[in-house]
Amino acid sequence: MSVFDRAYDDPVRVLDEDGTVVGDVPDLDEAELVGIYRDMRLARHFDERAVSLQRQGRMGTYPPLSGQEGAQVGSATALGETDWIVPSYREHGAAFVRGLPPEKTLLYWMGHGDGAKPPEDVRAFPIAVPIASQVPHAVGGAWASKLRGENDVFVCYFGDGATSEGDFHEGCNFAGVFDTPTVFFCNNNGWAISVPRERQTRSATLAQKAEAYGFDGLQVDGMDPLAVYKVTEAAVEKARDPPEGRLRPTLIEAIQYRFGAHTTADDPTVYRDDDEVRKWRRKDPIPRLERYLRSEGILDDDRVAAIEAEVEKRVADAIETAESVPRPEPRALFEHAYAELPSELEAQYAEVETLREEHGDAAFLGE
Amino acid sequence: MSDTQNLTLVQAVRDGLSTELREDEDVVVMGQDVGRNGGVFRATEGLYDEFGGDRVVDTPLAESAIVGCAVGMAAMGMRPVPEIQFSGFMYPGYDQIVSHMARFRARSRGRFTLPMTLRAPYGGGIRAPEHHSESKEAFYAHEAGLKVVTPSTPYDTKGLLAASIRDPDPVIFLEPKLIYRAFREEVPEEPYTVPIGEAATRREGDDVAVFTYGAMTRPTLEAAETLAEDGIECEVLDLRTISPLDREAIVDAFERTGRAAVVHEAPRTAGIAAEITAILQEEALLYQEAPIERITGFDVPYPLYALEDYYLPSAKRIEEGIREVAGFSP
């Protein structure tokens, strides 16, 4: 029986909160399992350091992801090499799995445009801030891939709030009509800033919205990285090579929680109580997988310590790299608006340089 | 000399699309009713039969996804040509146009470019229902990262459309539907381009420079002929591209005449005429001999059609506006 043949409100599970196996464990070797653990630790540690950098005034507003590592890492690990992710603005952990250097993410939130330029060999779209607006892009990208006979799969990330947006509906609808190899991955963390999931829709689940578009939808325990891996792998496989009678797209509703604020500018104590946070912290994806891997003899204290050290060094190096990048030259303001700089923009740039030559950068930056 | 066909403007759109579909397999035409139906104005007639449903795609009725999916396709290197059936229905896709179509190159520092051309018929005068007559080119000219093109002849339509589709950056291609079938012109069968960003001199004259584009080009030329009978010679410049404006040609024409009028059917406030006036203030102030006249649509919501002839600049209104400029003495 296919993983897709289940009730919409019956989330796929593999590990329970204690790391006990409660479902079929996906076929992953030891290195892959440790890889998921390490990448979640990387995402968590990165997140903690990033929030701290913001608090210290070393970085601008930042959207934390802690609690959502299982969904991000589990899903991104399930992609093939030529597949793409189309993220919103919180999927740093998924992007790292795809090969985005963490210093890129830091640079972006430090206000450097280069942070939104994924390296050529990283198959990730740039961050999309307007909610759900990236959903049609993932459909268009997948559509192009299908038209060219490549069938690379496009995994689109968005939150529960995004499912109320028109672009979510329009994107899913096009994906169904044109049967594009798209996986719609909803990070349902329960809150769209302060608005709870119940305020987004009277639909009993988000997963069931897929039915109206003619393709599969299912829930998964988004705090269980192995369950997330399992459903994403199945969805990716179906997108690439659908069996008779099923459409390529899938809507995955990954039920999860953000432990922290919406962004560093947000105070979640205003709208949710500590009991709820405590309840969800018990479902933390990282200790859950760690317990399982220890029980399987795959992890022990030494290996965990080595991973911790590796992750800490990677993040420290990324911070050092990002902070050593100087402010870009003002030319960067203009150079990517068009393929060729129009003469009017050349003239506007000249205004900047003339003032600079006369008064230095103080003319712009103040004292 | 290559063979030509005698085409209307809308037939030149069709011919341009057909030529580019043939030239480049990455070109895809998509939108509502563009396939089997051939477009509500027949702009895609026959293309579905010739190129098939994968390249001439009837989409669901959803402007945001039409633009947004084209963004995703273009990011993958295809050259989508989405059509919005009337420019008055571009607004559901406006977020995609402004937040993504215009910015993808800048956001990704050149990693992703969007070689896409968003076509839409625009403008009034065809006795259409509400929302079918607006001219909102200034919205798009205001948005960095976009180019905005408005042809006024069949020859330019095919050449500018080819240039837009081949351009590495996103283009808003606004077609003056009032003159879709107003006249014919010899159009080469061969592929060719007309460069984006270059205005065309439609009439030479030394007294007043008149800047216009799209469907207003014809009544402006008509007014110029009437004025010539009274000895007022107008230089009529068809801008052809709204963004980037051909500043050089605009300033040059003004320096030779010292007097200018701008004609467009879009509302006056914060319109293209205001932009041109500002350019002339900046670059040619000392040549100026008279206030610059803006002959435009009014700053009111576009009316239902019983009143649209009062709203749109007519040849008479244009003539009288230019007369003011020509007759001004300090």
Side-chain angles (χ1 to χ4, degrees), chain B residues 69-83:
Chain B
C69 286
V71 166
M73 292 171 118
M76 292 295 101
M78 296 194 76
R79 292 185 181 271
V81 188
E83 175 187 297

Side-chain angles (χ1 to χ4, degrees), chain B residues 211-233:
Chain B
F211 307 110
T212 189
Y213 52 92
M216 288 294 105
T217 308
R218 298 230 310 162
T220 299
L221 285 167
E222 195 185 321
E225 292 311 316
T226 310
L227 288 161
E229 289 165 17
D230 296 335
I232 298 168
E233 293 294 343

Side-chain angles (χ1 to χ4, degrees), chain B residues 25-37:
Chain B
E25 62 179 21
D26 280 328
V27 174
V28 172
V29 170
M30 57 199 282
Q32 293 154 26
D33 306 305
V34 302
R36 282 182 193 279
N37 186 44

